[in-house]
Amino acid sequence: VGGAPIQAWAVVKADGYGHGLLRVAEGLREIADGFALLEIEAAVALRDAGFRQPILLLEGAFDAEELPVCAEYGLTIAIHRLEQLRMIHEAALPIRLPVYLKLNTGMNRLGFSLEDIPALRQVLAATNSVSSVTLMTHFAESDGARGVEWQLERFQRMTEGWSLPVSMA
């Protein structure tokens, strides 16, 4: 979007979709710009195995005790509700964390709605705990009759006025 570089991140959740996390990650080491998964333990295992690419926790931190681990291991966290952002804001971390803000454009499982955007912007502006922000969404029906155009339109409405990196799919 807007001439931004395209990156290929490998989603290796669920133990590499049952093939073994480290086995799959090793096979993708040279071509993956980053890795994405759910469990903090799996992210730590990747770091301990020597993976230096960015690692994104797709559902973010589940509680405040995970945030120091995210800082120690240089993890990126998704934020899909205001409580998570407030948790980061209140944490005394040794470094700022990169975050991905998950916007709900139609999948309706996780993410901020259009109505959440003003509060999201307010809390984000007040925190010093975030180093960078990427806006993200997940396509609900990419191969359905509607395609992704309707979600792209919603995403553009939600991100109006922000000039930030974007992650889709």
Side-chain angles (χ1 to χ4, degrees):
V1 175
I6 295 175
Q7 292 187 343
W9 285 52
V11 177
V12 292
K13 64 184 185 177
D15 194 32
Y17 289 95
H19 299 288
L21 171 65
L22 295 178
R23 181 177 176 203
V24 170
E26 190 58 49
L28 298 169
R29 183 189 290 266
E30 298 301 319
I31 60 172
D33 294 307
F35 292 95
L37 38 71
L38 298 177
E39 306 87 8
I40 196 166
E41 298 83 7
V44 168
L46 282 179
R47 281 287 186 253
D48 287 346
F51 289 87
R52 296 292 142 230
Q53 293 97 325
I55 298 174
L56 171 65
L57 292 174
L58 289 167
E59 291 186 13
F62 291 101
D63 57 55
E65 289 77 36
E66 290 183 345
L67 293 174
V69 177
C70 292
E72 178 182 350
Y73 284 88
L75 305 177
T76 302
I77 56 176
I79 298 174
H80 54 88
R81 58 183 207 275
L82 283 172
E83 294 79 24
Q84 288 176 307
L85 185 55
R86 288 186 181 113
M87 188 171 59
I88 293 167
H89 175 70
E90 294 169 2
L93 300 174
I95 65 167
R96 293 174 162 196
L97 294 177
V99 300
Y100 277 48
L101 300 178
K102 185 160 189 148
L103 306 180
N104 179 8
T105 60
M107 189 139 220
N108 298 322
R109 282 193 308 207
L110 302 172
F112 296 100
S113 68
L114 183 60
E115 295 76 26
D116 294 329
I117 299 299
L120 172 61
R121 286 185 178 210
Q122 183 179 19
V123 175
L124 191 59
T127 188
N128 291 321
S129 301
V130 172
S131 64
S132 65
V133 176
T134 299
L135 303 171
M136 72 183 293
T137 191
H138 193 291
F139 296 128
E141 303 174 23
S142 60
D143 58 353
R146 293 196 293 178
V148 298
E149 291 302 317
W150 66 282
Q151 285 189 264
L152 289 172
E153 289 171 9
R154 288 179 76 177
F155 188 80
Q156 288 180 344
R157 279 195 312 269
M158 294 175 84
T159 61
E160 191 173 304
W162 274 351
S163 180
L164 296 169
V166 170
S167 175
M168 296 185 173

